[in-house]
Amino acid sequence: SADGKSIAFTRQERPYPGETEKTIVQILDVASGAVRPLTSHKLVEAFPQWSPDGAHVAYLYGRDGDVMNVADAYLTTPAGGTEGANLTRALDRMFYRILWLPDSKSFLVGANDVDRVSLWQVPVNGAPRKLSLAGVRPSTGYWLHVHVGQPGHLPFPRPHAAPPGPPPAQPPPPP
């Protein structure tokens, strides 16, 4: 949490590869050591992320609780108890990560999108919108490799950038 009093984490009861769908998001109270579930789900919750202001927790959850379905981004309050709102259902994608923007009013999600990885900005209130990345292609294997900087900038490395200055001198041709 923003105040450091709570930690949201994904719990898998038994660490067996065949049981990776048996995960739930839990909240740890740092002072007391008490642990409680964030929602009433019993399966396929993962990757909780606190909003920077501490007012929300976003997490991924298998659509309709089905382990064979895509993962959607949900939003709830730290008090929990309810699943919250599915903010990405209309996009029909398998989302990999949630990255909050610094103002806590929206977050980014990424997913495979036909022949590339695309990013969507998902507001706490309102419809998600696909971001135009001007030819930049974030990569993913299972995780979305993007970072949100201040004040909400998305830094991407420039691939194969030439060093500044004139091109290097060519060696003379062989005799």
Side-chain angles (χ1 to χ4, degrees):
S1 61
D3 60 11
K5 294 180 180 180
S6 299
I7 299 171
F9 65 97
T10 302
R11 177 178 182 244
Q12 181 177 338
E13 188 169 330
R14 300 183 319 178
Y16 302 128
E19 296 186 4
T20 57
E21 76 280 358
K22 295 180 181 177
T23 57
I24 60 171
V25 173
Q26 296 197 315
I27 304 292
L28 167 69
D29 180 280
V30 174
S32 70
V35 176
R36 63 175 172 79
L38 178 66
T39 74
S40 59
H41 296 143
K42 303 298 181 207
L43 297 169
V44 295
E45 290 183 333
F47 306 114
Q49 296 293 316
W50 290 93
S51 61
D53 66 4
H56 298 96
V57 177
Y59 65 98
L60 298 178
Y61 177 62
R63 180 167 295 165
D64 302 323
D66 185 346
V67 298
M68 301 304 287
N69 217 332
V70 299
D72 283 318
Y74 281 72
L75 183 72
T76 190
T77 64
T82 67
E83 71 178 27
N86 180 342
L87 299 183
T88 58
R89 185 177 188 94
L91 300 177
D92 197 26
R93 299 286 189 280
M94 174 69 172
F95 293 101
Y96 297 110
R97 190 172 179 196
I98 295 167
L99 294 155
W100 280 97
L101 295 177
D103 65 5
S104 296
K105 294 179 182 177
S106 62
F107 56 83
L108 300 178
V109 291
N112 290 327
D113 187 28
V114 186
D115 65 342
R116 66 183 44 94
V117 173
S118 294
L119 299 178
W120 287 263
Q121 184 175 0
V122 181
V124 170
N125 298 303
R129 71 178 180 90
K130 189 175 181 178
L131 300 179
S132 172
L133 299 178
V136 172
R137 292 186 175 206
S139 66
T140 181
Y142 173 70
W143 196 247
L144 176 67
H145 302 286
V146 175
H147 176 74
V148 177
Q150 292 289 343
H153 296 145
L154 298 173
F156 291 103
R158 185 172 160 193
H160 310 292
Q170 297 296 319

